[in-house]
Amino acid sequence: MENRISKLAPSILSADFCRLGEQINELENNNIDLLHIDIMDGVFVPSISFGMPVIKSIRRITDMFFDVHLMISEPIRYIEAFAKCGVDGITVHVEACKDLEATLDKIKEQNMKCAVAINPDTEIEEITHVLEKVDMVLVMSVYPGFGGQKFILESFEKVERLDKIRKDKNLDFLIEIDGGVNVENAGKIAESGADWLVAGTAIFSGNITENINKIKEEI
């Protein structure tokens, strides 16, 4: 637990979809081994992103871990379909599930890693009952649905509290943070206890390789 090293998780929501395969290849050349894939339904969040055909397409060109973040209502309906696309791990929102534990169990039944996400205005107490079940907790440091938002400073406290809980209870879930991550705040985020830092705009805006190297230097 004490030797965790924070890692970078590029969010392809900010990628150039005309060059998606090329950009994924550049990520791999920079030793990135996890892709964060945001799925939005226009119901749980206002925006609509993309779905299973895109995941199937990029699964053919990379062996990277597919970390799929479902920002959709009642995600339990689609767990099996995403598993068939070659997804490695699924994150669902506590706010979007009528039965969170059943949804997490469904993910595990499909031999995928399971994670729970909490929005900025959701308290940690809403998910403490599943911390022994999940492989990861995703702390949203912006309100989900839109890229380019500023990092919400209160997110540091959430990450620190979750890190303390897992140490006190000897749990092994990972902590991921998503939203407003950039070269200026990446170091402090890592120090707070986050294992995975999701970054979209900060990676795909400009020179991808240079952006990755700058953020990695901080974490």
PDB file of all heavy atoms in Angstrom, residues 70 72-79 82 90-93 96-97 103:
ATOM      1  N   LEU A  70     -18.965   4.283 -17.299  1.00  0.00           N
ATOM      2  CA  LEU A  70     -20.344   4.365 -17.757  1.00  0.00           C
ATOM      3  C   LEU A  70     -21.087   5.492 -17.045  1.00  0.00           C
ATOM      4  O   LEU A  70     -21.454   5.369 -15.881  1.00  0.00           O
ATOM      5  CB  LEU A  70     -21.066   3.035 -17.525  1.00  0.00           C
ATOM      6  CG  LEU A  70     -20.530   1.830 -18.298  1.00  0.00           C
ATOM      7  CD1 LEU A  70     -21.411   0.611 -18.048  1.00  0.00           C
ATOM      8  CD2 LEU A  70     -20.430   2.117 -19.794  1.00  0.00           C
ATOM      9  N   ILE A  72     -24.156   6.415 -17.501  1.00  0.00           N
ATOM     10  CA  ILE A  72     -25.466   6.078 -18.057  1.00  0.00           C
ATOM     11  C   ILE A  72     -26.396   5.594 -16.943  1.00  0.00           C
ATOM     12  O   ILE A  72     -25.945   5.073 -15.929  1.00  0.00           O
ATOM     13  CB  ILE A  72     -25.362   4.992 -19.160  1.00  0.00           C
ATOM     14  CG1 ILE A  72     -24.871   3.664 -18.580  1.00  0.00           C
ATOM     15  CG2 ILE A  72     -24.415   5.448 -20.264  1.00  0.00           C
ATOM     16  CD1 ILE A  72     -24.807   2.547 -19.611  1.00  0.00           C
ATOM     17  N   SER A  73     -27.680   5.776 -17.165  1.00  0.00           N
ATOM     18  CA  SER A  73     -28.675   5.343 -16.188  1.00  0.00           C
ATOM     19  C   SER A  73     -28.841   3.832 -16.225  1.00  0.00           C
ATOM     20  O   SER A  73     -28.881   3.223 -17.298  1.00  0.00           O
ATOM     21  CB  SER A  73     -30.022   6.013 -16.471  1.00  0.00           C
ATOM     22  OG  SER A  73     -29.921   7.415 -16.321  1.00  0.00           O
ATOM     23  N   GLU A  74     -28.938   3.233 -15.064  1.00  0.00           N
ATOM     24  CA  GLU A  74     -29.101   1.786 -14.917  1.00  0.00           C
ATOM     25  C   GLU A  74     -28.141   0.997 -15.815  1.00  0.00           C
ATOM     26  O   GLU A  74     -28.543   0.261 -16.713  1.00  0.00           O
ATOM     27  CB  GLU A  74     -30.556   1.386 -15.192  1.00  0.00           C
ATOM     28  CG  GLU A  74     -31.506   1.771 -14.078  1.00  0.00           C
ATOM     29  CD  GLU A  74     -31.045   1.229 -12.713  1.00  0.00           C
ATOM     30  OE1 GLU A  74     -30.728   0.031 -12.624  1.00  0.00           O
ATOM     31  OE2 GLU A  74     -30.985   2.021 -11.758  1.00  0.00           O
ATOM     32  N   PRO A  75     -26.849   1.127 -15.588  1.00  0.00           N
ATOM     33  CA  PRO A  75     -25.849   0.474 -16.437  1.00  0.00           C
ATOM     34  C   PRO A  75     -25.904  -1.046 -16.416  1.00  0.00           C
ATOM     35  O   PRO A  75     -25.354  -1.687 -17.312  1.00  0.00           O
ATOM     36  CB  PRO A  75     -24.523   0.978 -15.859  1.00  0.00           C
ATOM     37  CG  PRO A  75     -24.839   1.361 -14.447  1.00  0.00           C
ATOM     38  CD  PRO A  75     -26.236   1.904 -14.497  1.00  0.00           C
ATOM     39  N   ILE A  76     -26.576  -1.615 -15.422  1.00  0.00           N
ATOM     40  CA  ILE A  76     -26.661  -3.074 -15.347  1.00  0.00           C
ATOM     41  C   ILE A  76     -27.241  -3.670 -16.630  1.00  0.00           C
ATOM     42  O   ILE A  76     -26.956  -4.812 -16.990  1.00  0.00           O
ATOM     43  CB  ILE A  76     -27.502  -3.498 -14.114  1.00  0.00           C
ATOM     44  CG1 ILE A  76     -27.307  -4.984 -13.816  1.00  0.00           C
ATOM     45  CG2 ILE A  76     -28.972  -3.128 -14.282  1.00  0.00           C
ATOM     46  CD1 ILE A  76     -27.916  -5.428 -12.494  1.00  0.00           C
ATOM     47  N   ARG A  77     -28.020  -2.876 -17.355  1.00  0.00           N
ATOM     48  CA  ARG A  77     -28.645  -3.345 -18.600  1.00  0.00           C
ATOM     49  C   ARG A  77     -27.633  -3.673 -19.685  1.00  0.00           C
ATOM     50  O   ARG A  77     -27.931  -4.447 -20.609  1.00  0.00           O
ATOM     51  CB  ARG A  77     -29.605  -2.274 -19.137  1.00  0.00           C
ATOM     52  CG  ARG A  77     -30.763  -1.924 -18.216  1.00  0.00           C
ATOM     53  CD  ARG A  77     -31.547  -0.750 -18.767  1.00  0.00           C
ATOM     54  NE  ARG A  77     -30.749   0.473 -18.774  1.00  0.00           N
ATOM     55  CZ  ARG A  77     -31.047   1.547 -19.515  1.00  0.00           C
ATOM     56  NH1 ARG A  77     -32.074   1.521 -20.336  1.00  0.00           N
ATOM     57  NH2 ARG A  77     -30.275   2.629 -19.431  1.00  0.00           N
ATOM     58  N   TYR A  78     -26.436  -3.094 -19.601  1.00  0.00           N
ATOM     59  CA  TYR A  78     -25.488  -3.191 -20.705  1.00  0.00           C
ATOM     60  C   TYR A  78     -24.182  -3.907 -20.348  1.00  0.00           C
ATOM     61  O   TYR A  78     -23.276  -3.963 -21.174  1.00  0.00           O
ATOM     62  CB  TYR A  78     -25.153  -1.781 -21.205  1.00  0.00           C
ATOM     63  CG  TYR A  78     -26.357  -1.031 -21.723  1.00  0.00           C
ATOM     64  CD1 TYR A  78     -26.936  -0.019 -20.961  1.00  0.00           C
ATOM     65  CD2 TYR A  78     -26.920  -1.334 -22.959  1.00  0.00           C
ATOM     66  CE1 TYR A  78     -28.052   0.677 -21.420  1.00  0.00           C
ATOM     67  CE2 TYR A  78     -28.024  -0.650 -23.427  1.00  0.00           C
ATOM     68  CZ  TYR A  78     -28.581   0.358 -22.655  1.00  0.00           C
ATOM     69  OH  TYR A  78     -29.682   1.034 -23.112  1.00  0.00           O
ATOM     70  N   ILE A  79     -24.093  -4.455 -19.165  1.00  0.00           N
ATOM     71  CA  ILE A  79     -22.833  -5.051 -18.718  1.00  0.00           C
ATOM     72  C   ILE A  79     -22.372  -6.172 -19.648  1.00  0.00           C
ATOM     73  O   ILE A  79     -21.207  -6.212 -20.068  1.00  0.00           O
ATOM     74  CB  ILE A  79     -22.958  -5.572 -17.272  1.00  0.00           C
ATOM     75  CG1 ILE A  79     -23.326  -4.436 -16.300  1.00  0.00           C
ATOM     76  CG2 ILE A  79     -21.671  -6.266 -16.850  1.00  0.00           C
ATOM     77  CD1 ILE A  79     -22.388  -3.278 -16.295  1.00  0.00           C
ATOM     78  N   PHE A  82     -21.045  -4.859 -23.039  1.00  0.00           N
ATOM     79  CA  PHE A  82     -19.712  -4.269 -22.983  1.00  0.00           C
ATOM     80  C   PHE A  82     -18.649  -5.344 -22.792  1.00  0.00           C
ATOM     81  O   PHE A  82     -17.543  -5.236 -23.338  1.00  0.00           O
ATOM     82  CB  PHE A  82     -19.633  -3.222 -21.864  1.00  0.00           C
ATOM     83  CG  PHE A  82     -20.186  -1.884 -22.261  1.00  0.00           C
ATOM     84  CD1 PHE A  82     -21.408  -1.447 -21.766  1.00  0.00           C
ATOM     85  CD2 PHE A  82     -19.502  -1.073 -23.138  1.00  0.00           C
ATOM     86  CE1 PHE A  82     -21.919  -0.212 -22.140  1.00  0.00           C
ATOM     87  CE2 PHE A  82     -20.011   0.167 -23.522  1.00  0.00           C
ATOM     88  CZ  PHE A  82     -21.222   0.598 -23.024  1.00  0.00           C
ATOM     89  N   ILE A  90     -15.163  -1.963 -15.720  1.00  0.00           N
ATOM     90  CA  ILE A  90     -16.300  -1.048 -15.846  1.00  0.00           C
ATOM     91  C   ILE A  90     -16.497  -0.284 -14.548  1.00  0.00           C
ATOM     92  O   ILE A  90     -16.490  -0.862 -13.456  1.00  0.00           O
ATOM     93  CB  ILE A  90     -17.587  -1.806 -16.213  1.00  0.00           C
ATOM     94  CG1 ILE A  90     -17.532  -2.269 -17.671  1.00  0.00           C
ATOM     95  CG2 ILE A  90     -18.819  -0.930 -15.991  1.00  0.00           C
ATOM     96  CD1 ILE A  90     -18.787  -2.985 -18.138  1.00  0.00           C
ATOM     97  N   THR A  91     -16.672   1.020 -14.703  1.00  0.00           N
ATOM     98  CA  THR A  91     -16.998   1.898 -13.581  1.00  0.00           C
ATOM     99  C   THR A  91     -18.425   2.373 -13.720  1.00  0.00           C
ATOM    100  O   THR A  91     -18.824   2.864 -14.788  1.00  0.00           O
ATOM    101  CB  THR A  91     -16.064   3.125 -13.558  1.00  0.00           C
ATOM    102  OG1 THR A  91     -14.713   2.679 -13.455  1.00  0.00           O
ATOM    103  CG2 THR A  91     -16.391   4.034 -12.391  1.00  0.00           C
ATOM    104  N   VAL A  92     -19.213   2.221 -12.660  1.00  0.00           N
ATOM    105  CA  VAL A  92     -20.595   2.699 -12.661  1.00  0.00           C
ATOM    106  C   VAL A  92     -20.769   3.737 -11.559  1.00  0.00           C
ATOM    107  O   VAL A  92     -20.054   3.723 -10.557  1.00  0.00           O
ATOM    108  CB  VAL A  92     -21.598   1.545 -12.464  1.00  0.00           C
ATOM    109  CG1 VAL A  92     -21.520   0.564 -13.622  1.00  0.00           C
ATOM    110  CG2 VAL A  92     -21.375   0.830 -11.131  1.00  0.00           C
ATOM    111  N   HIS A  93     -21.716   4.623 -11.748  1.00  0.00           N
ATOM    112  CA  HIS A  93     -21.983   5.669 -10.762  1.00  0.00           C
ATOM    113  C   HIS A  93     -22.997   5.197  -9.735  1.00  0.00           C
ATOM    114  O   HIS A  93     -24.038   4.635 -10.087  1.00  0.00           O
ATOM    115  CB  HIS A  93     -22.524   6.926 -11.455  1.00  0.00           C
ATOM    116  CG  HIS A  93     -21.454   7.810 -11.981  1.00  0.00           C
ATOM    117  ND1 HIS A  93     -21.046   8.954 -11.331  1.00  0.00           N
ATOM    118  CD2 HIS A  93     -20.676   7.703 -13.092  1.00  0.00           C
ATOM    119  CE1 HIS A  93     -20.079   9.528 -12.027  1.00  0.00           C
ATOM    120  NE2 HIS A  93     -19.834   8.785 -13.100  1.00  0.00           N
ATOM    121  N   ALA A  96     -26.400   6.440 -10.375  1.00  0.00           N
ATOM    122  CA  ALA A  96     -27.130   5.959 -11.550  1.00  0.00           C
ATOM    123  C   ALA A  96     -27.710   4.566 -11.370  1.00  0.00           C
ATOM    124  O   ALA A  96     -28.375   4.060 -12.276  1.00  0.00           O
ATOM    125  CB  ALA A  96     -26.207   5.967 -12.765  1.00  0.00           C
ATOM    126  N   CYS A  97     -27.448   3.937 -10.212  1.00  0.00           N
ATOM    127  CA  CYS A  97     -27.848   2.540 -10.014  1.00  0.00           C
ATOM    128  C   CYS A  97     -28.931   2.410  -8.940  1.00  0.00           C
ATOM    129  O   CYS A  97     -28.743   2.877  -7.810  1.00  0.00           O
ATOM    130  CB  CYS A  97     -26.641   1.703  -9.590  1.00  0.00           C
ATOM    131  SG  CYS A  97     -25.292   1.666 -10.783  1.00  0.00           S
ATOM    132  N   THR A 103     -25.325  -4.500  -9.531  1.00  0.00           N
ATOM    133  CA  THR A 103     -24.613  -4.054 -10.729  1.00  0.00           C
ATOM    134  C   THR A 103     -23.149  -4.440 -10.667  1.00  0.00           C
ATOM    135  O   THR A 103     -22.571  -4.941 -11.640  1.00  0.00           O
ATOM    136  CB  THR A 103     -24.753  -2.529 -10.888  1.00  0.00           C
ATOM    137  OG1 THR A 103     -26.144  -2.176 -10.890  1.00  0.00           O
ATOM    138  CG2 THR A 103     -24.125  -2.064 -12.189  1.00  0.00           C
TER     139      THR A 103
END
